[in-house]
Amino acid sequence: MKRVFSLADKSHGQGGIFYSWQRAHGNYLATTGFDHAVRIYDRHGELKEEINLPGMCTGLGWDSDGDILAIVCEKSTAIILWDANSHRTTQIDSGLKDTMTFLKWSNTGPQLAVGTLKGNLMIYNHQTSRKIPIIGKHIKKITCGAWSAENLLALGSEDKTISISNADGDTLRQATIRADPAEIDFSEMKGDERSAIGQNTVSVVVGKKTLFLYNINDPENPIELAFQQRYGSIISYKWYGDGYILIGFSHGYFVVISTHLKEIGQELFQARNHKDSLASIAISTSLNKAASCGDNCIKIHDLSDLKEMYAIITLEDERGLDKIAWTDDGQLLAVSTQKGNLHVYLARLPMLAAVTQTRVAHLTSLLEVTIDDLVTKEPPITIAIEVEPSFLGIGQYHVAVGMNNRAWFYLLGDDGPQRLKDREYLGTVQSISLNGDYAAVSFEGKVQLHMIEGETTAATDERETRLFPGKDDRDVRITCHDMTPEFLIYGTDRGDVRYFFIEDWQFVVEYRHLAGIRKLFPDPSGTRLVFVDEKTDGYVYNAVNDTVIDIPSFSASIKGVLWENWQLDKSVFVAYDSEKLYTYVYCRESVTGTPEIMTPMYSGGFMEAPGMGVSVCSQVLYVGETRLPYGQIPIMLHNGEITLQTQSGKLGNLQLDTHSHVFHENPQDLKPAELLTAAQQCIKLRRFRDAWIFCHYVNRREVWVELGRAALHSLDLDFAIRVYRNIGDVGMVTSLQKVKTIEDKNLLSGYIAMFLGEFNSAQDLFLASSYPLAALEMRRDLLHWDSALQLAKALAPEQISYISREYAQQLEFTGDYMNSLSHYEKGITREEKAREHDEICAAGIARMSIRTGDIRRGVAMAMKMSSKGLKKECAGILESMKQWTEAATLYEQGHYYDKAASVYIRGKNWNKVGELLQHITSPKIHAQYAKAKEADGRYKEAAEAYKMAKEWDHVIRINLEFLQNPEEAVKIVQETQSVEGAKMVAKFFQKLNDYASAIQFLVMSKCNDEAFQLAQSHNQMEVYADIIGSDATPEDYQSIAVHFENEKNHYLSGKFFLLSGQYSRAMKHFLRCNGEDSQAIELAIETVGRANDDQLTHQLIDFLMGETDGMPKDAKYLFRLYMALKQYREAARTAIIIAREEQSAGNYRNAHDVLFSMYQELKDNRIKIPAEMATNLMILHSYILAKIHIKRGDHLKGARMLIRVANNISKFPSHIVPLLTSTVIECQRSGLKNSAFSYAAMLMRPEYRNQIDLKYKKKIEMIVRKPDKTEEDEPLSPCPICGFQLPETELMCPECKNNLPYCIITGRHVVSEDLTACPTCDFPAIFPEFIKLLESEESCPMCAEKVIRENLTKITDTKKYMFPEEGVTE
């Protein structure tokens, strides 16, 4: 804080100094000491008055208005009064004989209380000069006192009592205390309810140790608060807020307590502000600050948050501070010392500031003005002024300051500020405004406009000065004014807003409001201004077109308005009160709002008719609010940033919350929530270009839609189209492109409002446009029929009939039939061109007539009209009204025979139903008719009707019970699988003792228990078992199994135990069957496969090996067992054994099939194929291929395959000689002479010679006797793996040492270029050879399955055929 002035020690002699600030104004400081004098200083430290006293001053104080200073002193019975306005001193005789020791002015009245050394009291009324002496109020010296807001007087005396009196001195309450009182005060204790008498509590310090609280309402229960000894004695205390007390203690402690009964005795805050001692405390309610002094420093706290230290003032050259006090306005803080020094500090400057463009002039000291430009950052200009100003103004080149009726003008030149002149006015100046050349000064309801640098004497130029209002408006008071570069603008208590154009020296705009104008705030250009009227409502006035727009959400306590100085946001303004800033946007063009009438203008070849103006709506939008820091005043707005004037005289900046996320050079760095906030702020502020960038990063449809709607509201159609095109809203883009060329603003705005869903606004705009029919079209499209009819009466009477029809349809839908009938009747036109419309209306009349009870009319109209649909609708209505005859007739007329028959049935008219039967398709109606015929005993017709209704159970019942036709019943049951029907047939057969048939139909009807009992009781269990099949529960199977178990039928018992899941019991019975019973063994194998039980498995293996009965079973069963158990390796070994046995027996095809099936199983389960199995399968397949080739006449291929077989002749022991014989013959026939000789020589061996067929014996002997060993080499083909050339039938590549896959058609190794595979068994083959085979054969030689030519395809990925072992399990 800045020190304003100091009073040196000994200014009042030896000892301390006592002082008192002038109340209310704080312009004067009265001081006294031990020198028998009172001195009065102004707030700058200048001595204004000195009053000498006959004795030492014992009391001084200012009245509540600060006009009178009262002084009492020793050695005098007079009260000295000093008038602050006239500076005159007067004396009043108190009439008291003893020394006056105390005085106190009332806070609310003109009373002055004076106490004496002997406890006497005198109350002086300064207004009436009446003196009331009260002798013996106390018996000892009155030391302290206080007045309440209710004008009660509390006094404290050395007689250890306190008294409470009224303004006439009558004692109301008196209380005794334990020690001398000090620091007495009035306040209100905190309570759940407010006290009826306001300040209900007297507080007093007792003996400097305790705080005594005396409640006037409860005098019997005073409260005395004691504090910790370490705090020291109580120095001073102050009430503040809602019942809080701030107490200062001698040891430097600073404590806050509450007087609420629930909190009393508790310390809310405690701090040791001073290390050694605390001397005094003071509170400023206007600043909301508390100060304490002690040691050599002053500490200031914020009352809203005491923990926050607002300021610390250290007095380096002082020790032993004494008293501290604020002025009422909180601007000045005085502190005295025990040596008699006094220092005054500036705690808060008067909040004076003025703005022109971005330049701010503000008070930075009581006698200093500083000019800053926070936008251009120019160096500040400081002006030292002569007086403490009460008003301040700044123009483009000048600054004006002043007080009372005088102003000083300073020129802001290149050489720094220069004082130009001072000027006096005809009254006390309230405010001053400047532009480049002129100043406008308001005083006493008038405004004087004068040139700043003109002559002050009488001027010849009338443009030098002018006084407003003029002579014609003498009864009008100007309440506010402002200036722009071109205009003086002022408002009056009559509601006038007037623009005085300085260049032409005349009024150019005059607007009359309904209420008086309190404040006005023009924008920098002056074309728009905000004004506040006497009702505290706010408006924006546009001087260009003389329109006024209401400001929404306008606070009643608005103190000022700031327009945005940044050119791109010139439509934004901010209103503020003491707590918040409210941001608004003025929309010059808007879909909704206050219409403005523009003068006709020529545009695009279209000239509007004279008098028909284009209407444009304007609107003010509320954007949001920002909290205003306490004690700071907004003075300028630039680009969303508020410049604030602070109490210290400095300028601060505050960004509006409505602009908090708008300014970001790198939006991509923002978080999603911040991007969303930025987009929404830009949309509200109508900064559409910025909003587009943020919406791009947010990329949420609802935000784009919000941007598009805002652009539409502002009639920025091109931008809106761009937005809606971006989000893919084709409908909106198309609609906007259709209307964007409309020149009529009202019509355009109407369409936009309609697109936005604001239909009432759209109607008003359409009706004010050049095409009012658009309002009718909109209401029709929206089905707003009442509005449409009203509009049609005025705009298009020819449309009333059509609208009436549409309205009638809507009313019919909602159930308002009377009004619907009325509108259908109104819709009839009887015009040939509207025949279809009239038919719709007539149909509606028919329906509504029936609905409203006029059935005859409605039915007659429906019968007369050709529409089938109408007949059906009317019949439906009649049916709902239970008018069966009329309804059925209309249904029949409309050829709705099913519905007609249904209604006839309801009316019991069976004859009509019979007539319609041939047309009826509904099973329900047939069923109803059948029931009626059955009730009449006409069973055959009933059965036929039931058949038509597909109610088969009834058909079966009638055939069995009445028509005695069981064959038909059985046939129907078998066709329909009817459960109930089967039950009926079963009962019928039971009666005939045909138990097998009865069981069959009981099972069909799901009555398994009944069927079982019937089978058991009549020895038909095998029949039951056959019938039940696989559609039964485990319990059913168990019952059958137990029955056969009792009958010793082991096979069937085992079979049904297997089906019931009881595998052990099933196995027991299967093993008891005849050992040769193949079916039993097969089922036993299935049992083991299902059970997955090792014990059962070993049991069956023992049985198959013959260990149970000494008779080994066929190996095929062991093979099947291993397959069932999925033990494929064992199955493979068994399969090889079986195949070997089959081969030995000469059953080569069987052996082939066994090996093939096992090969496929192993391959499917990805298990490695044993080499022996693969080799045996290849040899057996070669044998089969030889037969096929020979049969087809391809002897060479047959010979090659026979050579392979002959090379493994030991595997064909049953047919060695026939096979060798065939090999010799086929080799001889195909030219393989050497091979023929080799195998012929083998046949000539003694063991084979006698077995040769006589038919071939001589020929073979000739081949041996006369050998011809000529033979061509076998053709070569490439190895499919490595490409090495090797003989075609060679299956081992000598180069890459791989076993080669063989072709299942030729037996040769495959070639990779022409590879195919059987679609069924997936064995490889040579593609052309397979195709050739299919010309004469249908099936695959390997799997014997049929192959379709089209299913064969060439294989490009040959890997799995070349290396079948990959991925298989060992």
Side-chain angles (χ1 to χ4, degrees):
M1 287 187 184
K2 187 174 181 181
R3 188 183 293 185
V4 180
F5 67 91
S6 294
L7 299 181
D9 56 349
K10 300 180 183 177
S11 58
H12 281 283
Q14 294 292 333
I17 186 170
F18 309 96
Y19 61 92
S20 176
W21 281 110
Q22 181 191 27
R23 294 178 66 177
H25 309 297
N27 288 327
Y28 295 107
L29 176 69
T31 66
T32 187
F34 294 94
D35 62 347
H36 301 187
V38 172
R39 294 185 179 87
I40 300 168
Y41 297 90
D42 67 9
R43 56 197 283 137
H44 307 295
E46 184 178 339
L47 180 64
K48 291 295 182 182
E49 190 77 42
E50 183 172 352
I51 303 169
N52 292 313
L53 306 176
M56 195 175 79
C57 178
T58 56
L60 76 165
W62 298 87
D63 71 347
S64 59
D65 296 326
D67 294 332
I68 305 294
L69 173 68
I71 307 166
V72 295
C73 65
E74 296 174 341
K75 302 177 184 179
S76 173
T77 59
I79 303 170
I80 300 169
L81 302 179
W82 183 77
D83 190 317
N85 296 320
S86 64
H87 291 206
R88 290 176 57 192
T89 303
T90 57
Q91 290 191 8
I92 300 165
D93 185 12
S94 67
L96 299 170
K97 303 302 181 185
D98 54 329
T99 303
M100 292 178 284
T101 58
F102 160 80
L103 70 77
K104 189 73 175 179
W105 285 96
S106 168
N107 295 322
T108 56
Q111 290 87 3
L112 170 67
V114 180
T116 72
L117 187 65
K118 294 182 180 179
N120 298 320
L121 173 69
M122 190 272 287
I123 298 177
Y124 167 69
N125 188 317
H126 182 64
Q127 193 170 342
T128 62
S129 299
R130 181 187 176 196
K131 292 179 283 188
I132 305 172
I134 300 99
I135 306 301
K137 172 63 74 174
H138 288 272
I139 59 175
K140 287 189 179 181
K141 178 182 176 181
I142 295 174
T143 56
C144 55
W147 288 90
S148 75
E150 289 74 31
N151 227 18
L152 299 180
L153 173 65
L155 297 173
S157 168
E158 288 181 354
D159 62 6
K160 298 179 183 176
T161 62
I162 58 173
S163 64
I164 301 169
S165 311
N166 61 19
D168 293 328
D170 301 328
T171 301
L172 304 177
R173 293 274 190 276
Q174 191 157 2
T176 303
I177 53 180
R178 293 187 297 175
D180 290 345
E183 297 269 340
I184 199 165
D185 202 358
F186 271 99
S187 191
E188 182 180 355
M189 280 184 69
K190 244 175 118 179
D192 295 330
E193 296 181 359
R194 289 283 177 190
S195 169
I197 63 168
Q199 292 185 333
N200 59 4
T201 304
V202 175
S203 58
V204 63
V205 176
V206 177
K208 296 188 178 181
K209 295 295 181 186
T210 61
L211 185 62
F212 185 80
L213 301 177
Y214 181 80
N215 193 325
I216 300 172
N217 297 331
D218 188 11
E220 302 302 322
N221 296 301
I223 298 169
E224 192 165 2
L225 302 174
F227 301 91
Q228 299 178 45
Q229 286 187 357
R230 67 189 179 96
Y231 290 171
S233 58
I234 299 175
I235 296 297
S236 181
Y237 72 93
K238 301 292 178 185
W239 289 82
Y240 76 94
D242 192 11
Y244 298 105
I245 303 176
L246 177 67
I247 310 170
F249 292 90
S250 59
H251 289 174
Y253 286 93
F254 187 79
V255 176
V256 175
I257 63 170
S258 168
T259 58
H260 197 289
L261 289 176
K262 294 178 182 177
E263 299 172 345
I264 203 156
Q266 297 178 18
E267 294 180 2
L268 303 182
F269 174 78
Q270 180 258 96
R272 190 166 187 178
N273 259 15
H274 304 280
K275 182 179 178 183
D276 296 329
S277 65
L278 181 147
S280 179
I281 62 171
I283 282 180
S284 171
T285 53
S286 60
L287 285 184
N288 202 37
K289 299 284 190 295
S292 71
C293 69
D295 301 337
N296 68 334
C297 69
I298 302 168
K299 293 189 177 180
I300 300 174
H301 295 258
D302 194 320
L303 285 177
S304 58
D305 184 4
L306 286 165
K307 294 177 183 177
E308 181 185 339
M309 188 71 71
Y310 174 74
I312 299 176
I313 305 170
T314 303
L315 288 80
E316 298 289 351
D317 51 349
E318 294 286 0
R319 290 291 181 273
L321 301 183
D322 190 15
K323 298 293 180 186
I324 188 168
W326 301 89
T327 56
D328 284 359
D329 60 9
Q331 290 186 4
L332 298 175
L333 175 66
V335 61
S336 63
T337 71
Q338 294 169 4
K339 292 193 301 182
N341 295 343
L342 186 139
H343 305 283
V344 176
Y345 292 89
L346 185 63
R348 182 181 72 175
L349 273 171
M351 304 289 267
L352 281 182
V355 177
T356 178
Q357 297 175 347
T358 59
R359 298 172 84 188
V360 179
H362 59 106
L363 206 60
T364 48
S365 182
L366 293 177
L367 298 173
E368 181 182 86
V369 172
T370 301
I371 301 169
D372 287 297
D373 194 325
L374 300 180
V375 177
T376 61
K377 305 296 183 184
E378 293 179 4
I381 300 170
T382 303
I383 304 173
I385 56 179
E386 299 176 10
V387 296
E388 182 183 337
S390 58
F391 59 85
L392 173 65
I394 185 171
Q396 189 173 356
Y397 310 111
H398 306 91
V399 170
V401 298
M403 64 180 294
N404 298 331
N405 67 334
R406 193 172 178 186
W408 286 261
F409 291 89
Y410 296 84
L411 175 65
L412 302 176
D414 295 335
D415 299 330
Q418 301 172 10
R419 180 179 160 185
L420 280 177
K421 63 180 181 180
D422 63 300
R423 180 164 183 160
E424 291 188 359
Y425 300 95
L426 300 177
T428 301
V429 175
Q430 276 86 44
S431 63
I432 187 168
S433 299
L434 284 70
N435 65 10
D437 301 314
Y438 284 84
V441 181
S442 70
F443 54 87
E444 298 178 356
K446 298 180 175 59
V447 169
Q448 183 173 351
L449 176 69
H450 64 84
M451 291 186 72
I452 297 171
E453 299 187 30
E455 295 295 330
T456 57
T457 57
T460 55
D461 187 355
E462 64 170 8
R463 296 172 61 92
E464 185 171 318
T465 185
R466 179 166 175 173
L467 189 66
F468 301 91
K471 296 178 181 179
D472 298 336
D473 294 320
R474 288 184 178 177
D475 58 336
V476 175
R477 284 182 57 83
I478 294 176
T479 55
C480 50
H481 82 288
D482 207 336
M483 288 189 77
T484 68
E486 288 83 20
F487 302 103
L488 163 66
I489 309 165
Y490 66 80
T492 71
D493 59 354
R494 192 173 62 185
D496 298 312
V497 175
R498 308 190 74 175
Y499 277 68
F500 183 79
F501 187 31
I502 297 171
E503 184 175 336
D504 291 350
W505 207 250
Q506 64 179 5
F507 288 104
V508 290
V509 175
E510 297 185 31
Y511 167 74
R512 174 69 63 86
H513 188 58
L514 297 174
I517 309 298
R518 285 177 54 190
K519 303 173 185 174
L520 57 77
F521 309 93
D523 71 352
S525 66
T527 56
R528 294 170 296 193
L529 63 82
V530 172
F531 69 82
V532 183
D533 65 13
E534 290 177 345
K535 299 177 183 177
T536 67
D537 294 328
Y539 301 88
V540 173
Y541 174 66
N542 190 328
V544 176
N545 44 42
D546 199 36
T547 57
V548 172
I549 299 105
D550 184 32
I551 302 176
S553 305
F554 196 76
S555 170
S557 56
I558 289 298
K559 293 184 175 181
V561 173
L562 302 175
W563 284 89
E564 175 63 76
N565 271 297
W566 192 46
Q567 191 61 26
L568 296 179
D569 255 358
K570 62 183 180 181
S571 295
V572 174
F573 65 90
V574 168
Y576 62 89
D577 56 23
S578 58
E579 295 181 352
K580 294 178 181 177
L581 296 142
Y582 307 90
T583 307
Y584 297 91
V585 175
Y586 170 71
C587 298
R588 169 68 180 80
E589 289 191 349
S590 177
V591 170
T592 55
T594 304
E596 304 174 356
I597 306 301
M598 306 292 289
T599 53
M601 57 186 295
Y602 184 79
S603 176
F606 169 73
M607 184 67 183
E608 293 176 303
M612 186 184 78
V614 179
S615 174
V616 181
C617 288
S618 297
Q619 189 178 21
V620 175
L621 300 176
Y622 174 65
V623 179
E625 63 184 42
T626 305
R627 188 158 191 82
L628 182 63
Y630 178 79
Q632 300 187 16
I633 297 177
I635 53 176
M636 188 182 74
L637 171 62
H638 184 269
N639 200 13
E641 194 169 76
I642 293 285
T643 299
L644 299 168
Q645 185 179 18
T646 65
Q647 295 175 354
S648 65
K650 295 179 181 178
L651 297 181
N653 288 331
L654 173 69
Q655 190 173 64
L656 293 171
D657 289 347
T658 52
H659 294 63
S660 59
H661 290 75
V662 171
F663 309 105
H664 280 284
E665 294 182 2
N666 299 309
Q668 66 272 16
D669 297 338
L670 292 177
K671 296 176 182 176
E674 293 173 336
L675 281 169
L676 179 61
T677 302
Q680 291 170 339
Q681 286 180 353
C682 289
I683 292 169
K684 287 180 179 179
L685 292 167
R686 297 304 190 255
R687 300 173 75 144
F688 294 138
R689 303 300 178 268
D690 294 336
W692 176 279
I693 296 168
F694 290 117
C695 287
H696 171 74
Y697 286 104
V698 173
N699 200 25
R700 280 167 50 179
R701 182 178 179 84
E702 63 270 20
V703 184
W704 282 113
V705 170
E706 188 181 346
L707 175 59
R709 290 179 66 87
L712 288 179
H713 267 292
S714 300
L715 290 178
D716 192 345
L717 264 62
D718 289 331
F719 187 81
I721 289 170
R722 183 183 169 202
V723 171
Y724 284 111
R725 182 179 285 122
N726 185 65
I727 60 175
D729 191 339
V730 179
M732 183 64 89
V733 172
T734 306
S735 301
L736 292 175
Q737 285 178 333
K738 286 180 180 177
V739 303
K740 66 179 281 191
T741 56
I742 294 174
E743 295 181 358
D744 184 335
K745 289 287 186 182
N746 277 335
L747 184 59
L748 176 62
S749 297
Y751 281 120
I752 301 302
M754 183 177 73
F755 298 156
L756 294 171
E758 298 169 3
F759 304 119
N760 291 335
S761 298
Q763 177 174 314
D764 294 341
L765 290 161
F766 283 141
L767 292 176
S769 73
S770 58
Y771 183 60
L773 275 175
L776 175 59
E777 293 169 359
M778 178 189 74
R779 290 300 182 185
R780 286 184 71 173
D781 292 341
L782 293 170
L783 310 183
H784 295 172
W785 303 113
D786 285 324
S787 300
L789 282 172
Q790 293 296 324
L791 291 168
K793 287 176 185 176
L795 301 174
E798 70 279 2
Q799 292 291 320
I800 291 176
S801 298
Y802 300 98
I803 296 171
S804 293
R805 182 199 80 200
E806 293 172 358
Y807 191 14
Q809 290 172 328
Q810 179 74 9
L811 290 169
E812 180 182 359
F813 179 74
T814 58
D816 189 352
Y817 302 125
M818 287 296 294
N819 286 325
S820 178
L821 175 61
S822 170
H823 283 289
Y824 274 129
E825 289 171 341
K826 290 177 184 175
I828 297 290
T829 64
R830 294 184 174 82
E831 294 179 3
E832 184 62 31
K833 63 180 180 180
R835 176 181 291 180
E836 185 179 346
H837 163 78
D838 284 354
E839 286 179 358
I840 294 171
C841 290
I845 293 169
R847 288 193 304 273
M848 294 307 100
S849 297
I850 296 171
R851 292 276 193 197
T852 55
D854 193 351
I855 294 173
R856 183 176 294 177
R857 179 191 181 192
V859 170
M861 289 185 72
M863 295 284 280
K864 195 183 296 181
M865 296 180 73
S866 60
S867 170
K868 287 185 180 182
L870 175 62
K871 291 182 175 67
K872 182 181 181 182
E873 290 168 355
C874 292
I877 297 168
L878 289 164
E879 186 180 355
S880 67
M881 297 168 68
K882 299 185 179 179
Q883 302 293 321
W884 311 124
T885 304
E886 291 84 352
T889 304
L890 281 176
Y891 275 133
E892 190 176 352
Q893 287 284 321
H895 298 168
Y896 296 101
Y897 298 114
D898 285 5
K899 294 291 289 182
S902 175
V903 177
Y904 278 132
I905 288 170
R906 288 189 184 181
K908 309 299 182 187
N909 192 341
W910 298 107
N911 291 331
K912 290 294 280 183
V913 176
E915 291 175 14
L916 297 176
L917 212 57
Q918 60 183 344
H919 301 295
I920 294 169
T921 57
S922 169
K924 184 179 177 182
I925 295 170
H926 282 293
Q928 288 175 309
Y929 184 71
K931 286 175 185 175
K933 290 299 174 185
E934 184 180 352
D936 290 345
R938 300 168 71 174
Y939 300 115
K940 193 168 184 181
E941 292 179 36
E944 286 299 319
Y946 277 129
K947 267 189 185 178
M948 295 294 287
K950 293 186 170 41
E951 293 200 1
W952 304 112
D953 293 348
H954 290 296
V955 178
I956 294 164
R957 178 176 55 78
I958 288 176
N959 273 296
L960 291 175
E961 292 180 8
F962 301 111
L963 298 179
Q964 304 301 318
N965 189 357
E967 294 84 359
E968 181 67 18
V970 169
K971 180 182 175 186
I972 291 169
V973 169
Q974 289 172 338
E975 288 176 356
T976 63
Q977 295 293 306
S978 167
V979 172
E980 288 300 319
K983 278 186 188 177
M984 288 187 279
V985 172
K987 288 177 184 174
F988 179 81
F989 281 122
Q990 256 179 288
K991 290 175 186 176
L992 297 178
N993 297 328
D994 186 351
Y995 300 114
S997 298
I999 290 167
Q1000 178 184 352
F1001 285 101
L1002 280 171
V1003 170
M1004 192 181 293
S1005 64
K1006 311 293 183 188
C1007 297
N1008 289 358
D1009 290 342
E1010 294 173 32
F1012 177 78
Q1013 291 166 8
L1014 186 65
Q1016 196 172 31
S1017 58
H1018 293 93
N1019 201 22
Q1020 297 286 328
M1021 191 56 72
E1022 292 193 29
V1023 174
Y1024 174 66
D1026 288 339
I1027 291 168
I1028 198 166
S1030 58
D1031 296 331
T1033 64
E1035 290 76 14
D1036 292 333
Y1037 291 132
Q1038 183 179 353
S1039 301
I1040 298 169
V1042 170
H1043 173 81
F1044 285 122
E1045 186 177 37
N1046 295 333
E1047 295 285 327
K1048 307 297 184 192
N1049 188 334
H1050 298 300
Y1051 174 72
L1052 289 176
S1053 178
K1055 176 182 177 182
F1056 285 99
F1057 273 129
L1058 170 61
L1059 291 172
S1060 70
Q1062 299 184 34
Y1063 303 121
S1064 298
R1065 295 179 73 176
M1067 179 62 75
K1068 181 177 74 173
H1069 286 286
F1070 287 138
L1071 297 184
R1072 286 183 183 177
C1073 293
N1074 184 356
E1076 297 302 322
D1077 189 344
S1078 61
Q1079 285 184 315
I1081 296 173
E1082 294 283 0
L1083 287 177
I1085 291 169
E1086 185 179 345
T1087 302
V1088 169
R1090 287 196 196 178
N1092 198 19
D1093 185 322
D1094 291 344
Q1095 186 179 352
L1096 290 182
T1097 303
H1098 293 309
Q1099 197 176 343
L1100 181 57
I1101 290 172
D1102 291 345
F1103 175 75
L1104 293 176
M1105 294 297 190
E1107 294 180 13
T1108 306
D1109 54 5
M1111 295 174 59
K1113 308 301 180 289
D1114 195 327
K1116 68 183 180 182
Y1117 297 123
L1118 196 59
F1119 167 69
R1120 285 176 189 157
L1121 172 62
Y1122 286 134
M1123 290 297 289
L1125 293 171
K1126 298 184 179 179
Q1127 296 179 3
Y1128 299 116
R1129 292 184 183 81
E1130 290 77 2
R1133 284 195 285 271
T1134 309
I1136 292 169
I1137 293 167
I1138 294 169
R1140 197 179 295 145
E1141 290 177 358
E1142 292 285 358
Q1143 273 181 271
S1144 300
N1147 300 324
Y1148 306 124
R1149 185 76 212 190
N1150 289 350
H1152 177 277
D1153 292 345
V1154 169
L1155 291 175
F1156 170 72
S1157 62
M1158 191 63 235
Y1159 189 100
Q1160 292 295 83
E1161 284 288 344
L1162 294 174
K1163 189 165 76 171
D1164 291 344
N1165 288 280
R1166 304 186 68 77
I1167 295 172
K1168 186 175 180 182
I1169 313 295
E1172 185 182 359
M1173 177 184 284
T1175 303
N1176 288 352
L1177 180 60
M1178 180 270 293
I1179 294 166
L1180 287 168
H1181 190 65
S1182 299
Y1183 169 77
I1184 290 167
L1185 286 178
K1187 293 174 69 174
I1188 292 172
H1189 292 321
I1190 292 166
K1191 178 183 171 185
R1192 294 177 63 232
D1194 194 342
H1195 297 288
L1196 180 58
K1197 287 178 184 167
R1200 294 290 184 195
M1201 290 301 99
L1202 283 172
I1203 289 171
R1204 185 180 290 165
V1205 171
N1207 288 338
N1208 296 275
I1209 199 64
S1210 60
K1211 297 187 184 295
F1212 301 89
S1214 301
H1215 297 83
I1216 292 175
V1217 174
L1219 281 172
L1220 288 173
T1221 304
S1222 298
T1223 304
V1224 172
I1225 292 167
E1226 289 303 316
C1227 287
Q1228 188 71 21
R1229 185 180 290 173
S1230 56
L1232 303 178
K1233 303 291 179 69
N1234 191 35
S1235 298
F1237 168 75
S1238 299
Y1239 295 112
M1242 193 182 296
L1243 276 172
M1244 289 296 104
R1245 292 177 185 171
E1247 62 269 27
Y1248 303 139
R1249 188 166 189 169
N1250 293 329
Q1251 298 176 35
I1252 300 172
D1253 191 338
L1254 295 174
K1255 191 164 52 173
Y1256 302 111
K1257 191 170 184 182
K1258 285 186 179 179
K1259 189 172 183 178
I1260 291 170
E1261 288 174 347
M1262 285 294 294
I1263 291 171
V1264 174
R1265 288 194 190 106
K1266 297 181 180 179
D1268 182 356
K1269 296 186 180 181
T1270 60
E1271 181 177 325
E1272 291 184 9
D1273 291 337
E1274 185 177 353
L1276 305 179
S1277 62
C1279 167
I1281 296 173
C1282 67
F1284 180 76
Q1285 295 289 332
L1286 70 161
E1288 289 178 329
T1289 57
E1290 183 61 53
L1291 300 182
M1292 166 70 82
C1293 177
E1295 182 68 23
C1296 61
K1297 307 300 186 210
N1298 281 309
N1299 286 319
L1300 305 181
Y1302 55 89
C1303 169
I1304 57 171
I1305 306 301
T1306 62
R1308 302 169 182 167
H1309 64 253
V1310 298
V1311 289
S1312 56
E1313 291 80 9
D1314 281 321
L1315 185 66
T1316 187
C1318 170
T1320 306
C1321 64
D1322 201 32
F1323 268 81
I1326 297 170
F1327 183 75
E1329 297 292 344
F1330 211 149
I1331 297 297
K1332 197 183 296 181
L1333 175 72
L1334 291 178
E1335 293 173 0
S1336 57
E1337 304 287 335
E1338 290 185 344
S1339 56
C1340 167
M1342 179 61 79
C1343 61
E1345 294 293 334
K1346 187 174 181 181
V1347 179
I1348 298 171
R1349 158 74 179 84
E1350 288 72 20
N1351 293 343
L1352 281 182
T1353 56
K1354 282 192 178 183
I1355 295 169
T1356 55
D1357 185 6
T1358 62
K1359 186 176 180 182
K1360 77 168 184 172
Y1361 300 102
M1362 302 302 151
F1363 306 103
E1365 297 85 3
E1366 286 190 11
V1368 300
T1369 307
E1370 288 292 337

